[in-house]
């Protein structure tokens, strides 16, 4: 089995079955449910990609085998907007020590009350952080999958991407300006538009996918996950990989 695959399948398997949310340890909130029941048809290829993708197909940066790294989770939330499928993103405050000013998925480090980082902890953390950062109502989110854990070397975060459908959208916006600069949704049509795609060039020489949407440059971990999701869901359109966008030395 590919490194990391066993751990990540256990996260989804540990979630309570539909209709039977179980209580967490030491009085923690009930375990979120992970289910594909009732998803709209357009999400079927995403659900299949989440179910079958392997860690090495998502990134070359995988969690250290010695267990180092701070456990964290992000919420990859698909909704249905005026222009069809869309993703919820936020821009981190420029004053933050980790990834300042960078567009990202809502998310953050696991807290002790989130529970076991190898089972339902990332599910709770992804929803909790999304609520804290964007104000969304977790009750309107249906979690339908968990991607393999990945690693961000520069910040030493071990990240579990939790994938959800915004079944009942709620108002979102900046909750704490010290953490979040803005909250916005991006149509998938914009993310797949070749005119909005580029290759980001880090001063270190590292190359990675990027998206120019909503007056923002989405790059790094977030762009890498979006790029792979579009590819494995069959939504990717041919784009000019020679188009380069240089990153600031502070990136």
């Amino acid at each position: 089995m590919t490194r990391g695959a066993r751990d990540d399948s256990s996260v989804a398997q540990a979630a309570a079955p539909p209709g039977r949310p179980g209580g967490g340890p030491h009085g923690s909130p009930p375990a979120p449910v992970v289910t594909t029941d009732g998803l709209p048809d357009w999400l079927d290829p995403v659900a299949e990609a989440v179910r079958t993708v392997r860690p090495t197909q998502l990134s070359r940066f995988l969690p250290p085998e010695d267990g180092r790294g701070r456990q964290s989770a992000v919420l990859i939330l698909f909704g249905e907007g005026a222009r069809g499928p869309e993703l919820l993103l936020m821009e981190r405050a420029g004053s933050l020590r980790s990834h300042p000013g960078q567009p990202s998925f809502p998310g953050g480090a696991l807290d002790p009350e989130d529970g076991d980082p190898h089972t339902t902890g990332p599910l709770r953390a992804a929803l909790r952080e999304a609520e804290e950062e964007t104000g969304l109502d977790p009750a309107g989110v249906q979690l339908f999958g968990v991607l393999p854990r990945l690693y961000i070397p520069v910040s030493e975060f071990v990240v579990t991407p939790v994938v959800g459908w915004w079944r009942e959208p709620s108002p979102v916006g900046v909750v704490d300006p010290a953490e979040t600069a803005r909250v916005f949704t991006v149509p998938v049509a914009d993310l797949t538009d070749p005119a909005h795609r580029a290759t980001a060039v880090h001063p270190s020489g590292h190359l990675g996918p990027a998206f120019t949407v909503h007056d923002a440059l989405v790059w790094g971990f977030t762009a890498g996950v979006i790029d792979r999701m579009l590819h494995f869901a069959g939504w990717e359109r041919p784009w000019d990989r020679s188009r380069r966008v240089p990153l600031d030395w502070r990136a």
Side-chain angles (χ1 to χ4, degrees), residues 38-154:
L39 288 182
D41 292 343
W42 60 265
L43 270 177
D44 287 346
V46 177
E48 178 64 13
V50 171
R51 187 183 67 82
T52 59
V53 72
R54 298 188 300 274
T56 52
Q57 292 177 311
L58 289 175
S59 175
R60 63 188 178 92
F61 298 113
L62 302 182
E65 295 182 344
D66 61 7
R68 286 183 295 111
R70 189 176 183 188
Q71 298 293 329
S72 63
V74 296
L75 179 64
I76 304 175
L77 186 60
F78 287 90
E80 207 161 354
R83 295 179 52 207
E86 59 185 16
L87 274 176
L88 178 67
L89 296 178
M90 52 170 274
E91 185 176 307
R92 296 169 59 80
S95 58
L96 291 175
R97 182 177 61 180
S98 178
H99 310 292
Q102 190 171 343
S104 67
F105 301 118
L110 269 67
D111 286 346
E113 58 266 28
D114 293 323
D116 189 345
H118 299 289
T119 56
T120 56
L123 308 180
R124 292 192 184 95
L127 292 172
R128 174 182 56 75
E129 286 282 346
E131 181 177 17
E132 292 175 0
E133 292 175 332
T134 74
L136 71 78
D137 182 359
V141 175
Q142 176 180 333
L143 303 182
F144 65 88
V146 179
L147 288 169
R149 288 181 177 87
L150 304 174
Y151 187 59
I152 304 179
V154 66

Side-chain angles (χ1 to χ4, degrees), residues 176-232:
D176 183 357
E179 290 193 4
T180 308
R182 62 172 170 154
V183 177
F184 56 101
T185 57
V186 179
V188 171
D190 286 350
L191 295 168
T192 59
D193 185 342
H196 293 158
R197 304 219 52 182
T199 297
V201 183
H202 194 275
S204 67
H206 175 73
L207 304 178
F211 301 84
T212 54
V213 290
H214 277 252
D215 298 321
L217 176 65
V218 183
W219 62 281
F221 174 85
T222 302
V225 173
I226 293 174
D227 173 76
R228 294 295 80 196
M229 292 284 283
L230 296 178
H231 174 77
F232 288 108

